[in-house]
Each structure stands twice: as C-alpha cells, then as structure tokens.
Amino acid sequence: MTTHTSVFTAGAFLVPYGLLAVVCGIPLFLLESSVGQYTQEGFITCWRKLCPLAQGIGFGQLIMSLCAFIYILIEAWALLYLVFSFRSQLPWASCENTWNTAQCLSLQTSTNVTANQTNTTSAAIEFWERRVLAMSGGIEELGSVRWDLALCLLACWVFCYFSIWKGVRSSGKVAYFTATFPYVMLTILLIRGLTLPGAWQGVYYYLYPDLNRLTILKVWIEAGSQIFFSYSLTAGTLNVLCSYNEYNNNCYKDCFWLCLLNSGTSFVAGFVVFSVLGFMAQKQGVTVDTVVESGPGLAFIAYPQATAMMPLPQFWTVCFFLMLILLTVDTHFVIVESFITTVIDLFPKLLRAPLRHKIFVLIICLSSFLIQLTLVTEGGIYVFQLIDFYGSTRVCQNFMAISQCVAVGWIFGADRFLNIIKDMTGQRPSVFFKLCWKYIIPLLSVVSLRGSNRLSL
C-alpha cells in the first residue's frame, strides 16, 4: 500500500484509502467473486452466461492479463538481488566495484555527509542502474541481453510452469506456502524495523494525517488505484479463482474477511517500510520525506540500502528479498493461471484434456519468456516502463469498473443479482451494495478518469 505515498503525507493517504475500500473495494470484490462462483466460468465465458452483451469486458481483461505478465520481471530482479545478498560485502554498500563511477558515494560516506551533497550518486543507485539494469541511453538503444537477468527470468518462468501445469491441483498446493510464508518474513521484518533507532520518526510520518492534503484530488485517485491493485479488482482473477468454489460457498462472508485481511496486511507492511525509512532518515540526518521512494526505487534502492546499515545486513537482506520473491511468485502464477483457465473455457474441447492442458501451459510460459527477453536487455527497463504506464493502468481499471457495474447493476439487474447471492449463500446483501454498483462506483470511476486525464496533461 505504501508505494503510492511518496508525494504525500502517508497519514493523509490512509483516510481516502479506508473510505474508498468501503464504498468501492468491498462492493466490487463481492460483485466479481459472486459472478465467478455463480457462473463457474473464466472471465470471458462468465459474461456469456450472465450478460452476453458484456463479453467485451472479458476480452478487455484478457489484454490486461497479458500486460500484467511483465511483472514477473520484479521477481527476476529480486532473485538477482537475493543471489548478491549472500556476499560477505553487499555490493550496493560500497564503491569498490567495476561498475562504480568516480561520483559514487558509498554507504559509509553517505551517512557522514550532508543531504545537499551534489554531483554524487549513491552506491545503491549505481548498483541498480549500472549493474542490474545496465541502462542504455533510451528505448531506441535496446543493446544486448543481460544474461544473469535472463537466467533469473527463466528460473521464474520454470517455477511458474511447475506451479500451474496441473491446474488448481498444483497451484493450490504451492499457494499454501507462497501465501503464508511471507507473513513469517513480514513479522520478522516488523519486529526488527520497530526496534531500529529512528523507527518511530518514520511511523509518525506514516500515521500522522495532514488534513490539508485531503483536498488534493491526486491523493484520492492514488488511494483508489491502490485498492484496485491490492484487491485484484477488474483484472478477472477474482472471477476465475472463485469459479472453483462450491456453488453454496459463502462468498458474501469471505468477501469481508479477505478484504480485511488484505488491507490489514497492507497497513502492517506500512510499519515495516516506514520504520526502516525513519531509521535511514536518522542515519543520514535528514527528514523522512527526503528518503521516501516509490515503485522499484523503494524495493531495490531504499530498502537494500537500509538493510546494509543494520547489523547482520546479509540476513535482513535475504529475509526481505525472499519475502518479495514469494509475494511476486504468488501474484504472477495467479495471473497466468487465470489467463489459461479463461482461454481453456473458451475452447474446452480442444484444450481441457490433461495432456493438452500441460502442453498449452508450456507454450504460454515458453513464448512469454522468449518475448520478455526484450525486458532484460540494456534498454529493457524502458520497455517495461512503457507497458507499465500504458498497459494495465488506472484508466483501464476505472473503465472496467464502470462496465461491470453497468452490466450487473443496470442490464442484468442489481436486485436479481442480490437474489442470486442469497441463493448461493443464504444471505441477501444490504441495499448498500446495490447503491454502490448502480451509482457510487460508476460516479467515482468517472471522476477518477477525468482526474487522471488532467494529471497526465
């Protein structure tokens, strides 16, 4: 959740996050999970049964799923960092490496200089940009393949294949570990983070709300976007995962518990991140807002730099990147499994046989790996950023949210859908969900669309 708080006081971010989770996150989560459980189909064929006019939603989600395949690259980056974490001297802590420049500022030096040091680059940034990515001058200069990254990418796709090659029978067993073990790592990192000097400075920054920030539209748009991403809304994965439920499973109750668990985990993860940022701020003699990073910079620059400052840096670095790898593994094979299930549901006679299913999964994984070799070239980061910016964006999310709410709330009928949920679960959701599906979510999504267009200009 904290990836979107770099521009704003984090406490102000929590207010819209909590409010939008109630009026958008939970109602949409119930809608998508109920659609999947009722139809027992993938995210395209489910609309054939429910509202044939809305099949385009499923095809749109299919394209979004393909764009989301690129996020396996985060897993590959984390795997490479994990390998380097076993060195006696962490390479992002010093400037004594072949890729460092004369402007490099080592970790030991950076903690003893002022924040206004100019014409210098931290060792962590140089490791990220010059060793891991070996960034070229632009997207027009793809350069050569980074073979260490390519091997990490191959390992990630091999693991993905053997996690899903037998369908939910294999992926379900893998999920028991990949979905639960990160909580062990998160607990360890939380305890360590809160015991660091300066940690509470970061926690204060995380929790203290600057109410003036609530008048900024971008805070609300970012909060809504984070809910969509963390709840996996409008991506089709909820439809597919819930299609494996029994018809009488209580998805109404599950919806509340899963959303609470998701937001609770994000909230606790915020303490892990900001306690470490507070520690970094104290070490460097600066305020917390100057060390806050977002996106890849948080995971691959700020946090490794922080763990290098701790006693036993290799141990804490291994814990962090192991947790990150398991989180990305879990996310990625769910996305791929949802894509494969949906395509198989489109062509059941051709692909549903066990052997054909395994061959189809192999073709998807192998072709994706070969295509994604462009992402591990010297200019690959620019290709990644291009797809990330124009692929599965908040504009796509908002458009899909409006389309799903119109299809269910207005075309199929909100009351009719509430009766279906009652038939499945024995409980009829309150009229609040009907209001959210028909009015609140479409309205807020339109506002977010207009706001996103203005912010991009």
Side-chain angles (χ1 to χ4, degrees), residues 264-276:
T265 302
S266 297
F267 183 67
V268 172
F271 285 94
V272 174
V273 171
F274 280 90
S275 61
V276 171

Side-chain angles (χ1 to χ4, degrees), residues 64-75:
M64 290 172 65
S65 296
L66 283 173
C67 292
F69 277 20
I70 67 164
Y71 296 114
I72 195 175
L73 192 59
I74 298 173
E75 185 184 338

Side-chain angles (χ1 to χ4, degrees), residues 217-231:
L217 179 61
K218 188 176 181 181
V219 178
W220 293 82
I221 292 176
E222 294 284 4
S225 180
Q226 181 58 31
I227 289 168
F228 274 65
F229 276 115
S230 63
Y231 284 17

Side-chain angles (χ1 to χ4, degrees), residues 379-400:
I381 185 64
Y382 303 109
V383 180
F384 176 85
Q385 291 172 337
L386 184 70
I387 300 173
D388 179 51
F389 189 82
Y390 290 105
S392 184
T393 63
R394 69 168 66 97
V395 173
C396 300
Q397 295 170 339
N398 291 327
F399 184 78
M400 287 297 173

Side-chain angles (χ1 to χ4, degrees), residues 190-317:
L190 175 64
I191 295 171
R192 181 56 184 142
L194 294 178
T195 56
L196 290 169
W200 293 101
Q201 180 184 349
V203 171
Y204 178 81
Y205 179 85
Y206 176 48
L207 296 178
Y208 179 73
D210 182 358
L211 298 181
N212 293 326
R213 297 289 186 182
L214 297 179
T215 60
I216 301 175
L217 179 61
K218 188 176 181 181
V219 178
W220 293 82
I221 292 176
E222 294 284 4
S225 180
Q226 181 58 31
I227 289 168
F228 274 65
F229 276 115
S230 63
Y231 284 17
S232 296
L233 300 175
T234 71
T237 53
L238 285 177
N239 303 57
V240 173
L241 293 177
C242 291
S243 70
Y244 292 103
N245 288 343
E246 297 291 336
Y247 180 81
N248 295 119
N249 176 66
N250 195 337
C251 58
Y252 183 52
K253 181 180 71 175
D254 291 347
C255 169
F256 289 100
W257 282 112
L258 289 172
C259 290
L260 180 62
L261 177 64
N262 193 304
S263 293
T265 302
S266 297
F267 183 67
V268 172
F271 285 94
V272 174
V273 171
F274 280 90
S275 61
V276 171
L277 293 177
F279 165 68
M280 287 184 65
Q282 186 185 82
K283 278 278 189 179
Q284 298 174 7
V286 297
T287 56
V288 176
D289 59 313
T290 60
V291 297
V292 173
E293 296 274 359
S294 63
L298 175 63
F300 298 105
I301 298 175
Y303 212 94
Q305 192 171 8
T307 55
M309 297 178 183
M310 303 177 190
L312 301 175
Q314 289 81 3
F315 175 75
W316 300 114
T317 306

Side-chain angles (χ1 to χ4, degrees), residues 47-68:
W47 294 106
R48 286 182 181 176
K49 288 188 175 182
L50 198 71
C51 180
L53 189 63
Q55 281 187 76
I57 296 173
F59 286 102
Q61 290 172 336
L62 193 73
I63 301 301
M64 290 172 65
S65 296
L66 283 173
C67 292

Side-chain angles (χ1 to χ4, degrees), residues 33-143:
S33 57
S34 300
V35 167
Q37 183 169 310
Y38 172 66
T39 60
Q40 305 282 295
E41 295 282 347
F43 52 70
I44 293 178
T45 48
C46 70
W47 294 106
R48 286 182 181 176
K49 288 188 175 182
L50 198 71
C51 180
L53 189 63
Q55 281 187 76
I57 296 173
F59 286 102
Q61 290 172 336
L62 193 73
I63 301 301
M64 290 172 65
S65 296
L66 283 173
C67 292
F69 277 20
I70 67 164
Y71 296 114
I72 195 175
L73 192 59
I74 298 173
E75 185 184 338
W77 291 335
L79 183 57
L80 186 62
Y81 267 82
L82 181 65
V83 172
F84 277 106
S85 299
F86 291 97
R87 288 192 175 185
S88 57
Q89 173 69 43
L90 294 177
W92 50 82
S94 70
C95 295
E96 301 171 357
N97 307 288
T98 55
W99 57 83
N100 292 127
T101 64
Q103 290 74 40
C104 178
L105 197 65
S106 69
L107 191 61
Q108 292 77 12
T109 306
S110 64
T111 56
N112 297 317
V113 298
T114 62
N116 295 323
Q117 188 84 10
T118 58
N119 299 322
T120 59
T121 308
S122 72
I125 292 177
E126 289 204 351
F127 177 78
W128 168 244
E129 294 182 351
R130 298 177 62 84
R131 173 60 185 87
V132 176
L133 301 179
M135 293 174 63
S136 66
I139 195 170
E140 70 280 359
E141 301 175 22
L142 281 182

Side-chain angles (χ1 to χ4, degrees), residues 23-24 27-28 401-402 405 435-437 439-446:
V23 299
C24 289
L28 264 180
I402 295 170
C405 287
L435 293 175
C436 289
W437 295 335
Y439 305 107
I440 298 176
I441 295 175
L443 177 62
L444 292 178
S445 297
V446 169

